[in-house]
Amino acid sequence: MPDSTVCLSFDFDALSVWLAYDRVTPAMLNRGEYGARVGVPRILDLLDGHGLKATFFVPGHTVESFRDETEAIVAGGHEVAHHSYAHVDPSGQSYDEERADMERAWAVLEGIGVRPLGFRSPSADLSASTLELVEELGFLYDSSLMTDDYRPFRPRIGDRVSRESPLERGRDAGFWELPMCFELDDWVHFQFNFDPYRKGGAPPSHVLEIWRAEFDWMDEHVDGGVLTICMHPQVIGRGHRIGMLDELIGHCLDAGARFERMGDVAQRLEGSR
Ligand SMILES: [Zn+2]
């Protein structure tokens, strides 16, 4: 039996993702607000309709700006996980800046009664210290890397490599990696932008074809596979896209897949070690 798991994850970035751009305008910020105003309620309705629980990575900035929407996510039984304070790419932060940012976001989540189990790096990029900080702060899992696809694993800390010297492997981290990928990220396919220019605008049938084929291949070939899909309320919330997500959920349910919060997957893996 394939025993497949699907994790629906939503990066509720709201304004914070736009504040990370060089040029920030009110129109860009309003695009972010769409995620809170329309995207989140629509996603919560869809999940409720199927009786599914999901994982929301919420920056501290979003929690403080859209408290009611974040509390509705928690009240719905969904997982709220750590996604930095203001969506600043950690690869440009010093160790102290990154640590302070992570601690600030952690404190904001604790302020709404959430003890985060997981972390996803903003911009899907890391600094040389990120994984060490994830371990130090006591997270059970990270979901930022693309080393594997359908199998959670222990990421390595302290790898050394350069153009002159081959890979010297570091040690295994004390937390799990639930890998993500750009193919399963709605932003990459759908999100149009003027500057920097992003074409976006993929037809949902095109993305459904990719996401369904990823699930089908895993379900056929990988025993106990975990498919992590990364979405953004401000992107997937549009009618033609949320309809596609509804169709994908139906397809995976028909195939017998289980839908889980990422924290539950990580706890299950930890328990079976
Ligand atoms: Zn994000």
Side-chain angles (χ1 to χ4, degrees):
M1 278 297 286
D3 191 26
S4 295
T5 299
V6 177
C7 292
L8 301 175
S9 71
F10 300 91
D11 295 2
F12 181 18
D13 296 329
L15 315 185
S16 69
V17 67
W18 299 105
L19 291 169
Y21 279 65
D22 290 340
R23 193 178 68 97
V24 182
T25 69
M28 292 162 90
L29 297 176
N30 276 269
R31 290 178 69 179
E33 187 160 342
Y34 175 90
R37 186 186 174 101
V38 179
V40 166
R42 206 166 270 172
I43 290 163
L44 292 179
D45 278 355
L46 177 71
L47 295 173
D48 260 9
H50 287 285
L52 304 180
K53 303 298 178 210
T55 298
F56 290 74
F57 291 89
V58 191
H61 188 278
T62 299
V63 175
E64 291 179 335
S65 303
F66 300 101
R67 178 103 186 202
D68 291 350
E69 292 80 355
T70 308
E71 283 179 346
I73 292 168
V74 176
H78 305 288
E79 174 186 9
V80 168
H82 193 298
H83 194 41
S84 83
Y85 180 77
H87 218 275
V88 176
D89 179 351
S91 65
Q93 287 177 313
S94 70
Y95 176 86
D96 288 343
E97 285 168 347
E98 187 175 4
R99 188 179 185 105
D101 185 286
M102 274 199 190
E103 286 175 348
R104 183 178 180 188
W106 187 291
V108 171
L109 292 176
E110 278 190 339
I112 58 161
V114 169
R115 194 276 187 206
L117 297 177
F119 173 79
R120 175 174 286 153
S121 173
S123 312
D125 214 342
L126 305 183
S127 77
S129 316
T130 307
L131 295 180
E132 219 160 321
L133 283 167
V134 168
E135 190 177 68
E136 269 174 50
L137 267 69
F139 287 104
L140 196 53
Y141 74 93
D142 173 71
S143 180
S144 316
L145 300 177
M146 308 180 194
T147 329
D148 209 313
D149 43 28
Y150 314 119
R151 297 178 203 276
F153 63 98
R154 298 278 186 188
R156 286 192 310 268
I157 292 180
D159 277 4
R160 292 156 66 102
V161 68
S162 69
R163 284 196 194 112
E164 289 73 35
S165 342
L167 175 65
E168 224 178 284
R169 288 169 178 75
R171 64 179 174 84
D172 285 351
F175 56 89
W176 293 95
E177 179 66 32
L178 302 184
M180 62 164 294
C181 69
F182 290 135
E183 291 83 351
L184 291 165
D185 182 334
D186 62 352
W187 192 281
V188 173
H189 297 290
F190 292 128
Q191 187 67 296
F192 166 80
N193 197 43
F194 283 112
D195 180 25
Y197 179 71
R198 300 181 59 85
K199 181 168 175 283
S205 56
H206 176 157
V207 178
L208 180 62
E209 183 186 339
I210 297 171
W211 291 7
R212 203 171 40 200
E214 280 281 311
F215 171 78
D216 288 346
W217 198 93
M218 178 186 88
D219 198 48
E220 196 180 334
H221 296 96
V222 182
D223 197 25
V226 179
L227 191 75
T228 300
I229 302 175
C230 171
M231 294 165 280
H232 300 75
Q234 59 186 285
V235 177
I236 203 74
R238 296 288 318 189
H240 64 299
R241 297 177 190 142
I242 202 96
M244 180 275 280
L245 176 58
D246 192 15
E247 212 176 318
L248 179 79
I249 290 171
H251 176 79
C252 299
L253 285 172
D254 286 348
R258 140 193 345 118
F259 284 75
E260 275 188 310
R261 303 180 298 185
M262 297 171 75
D264 295 331
V265 172
Q267 277 173 326
R268 181 158 55 80
L269 292 167
E270 196 65 22
S272 63
R273 282 180 73 219

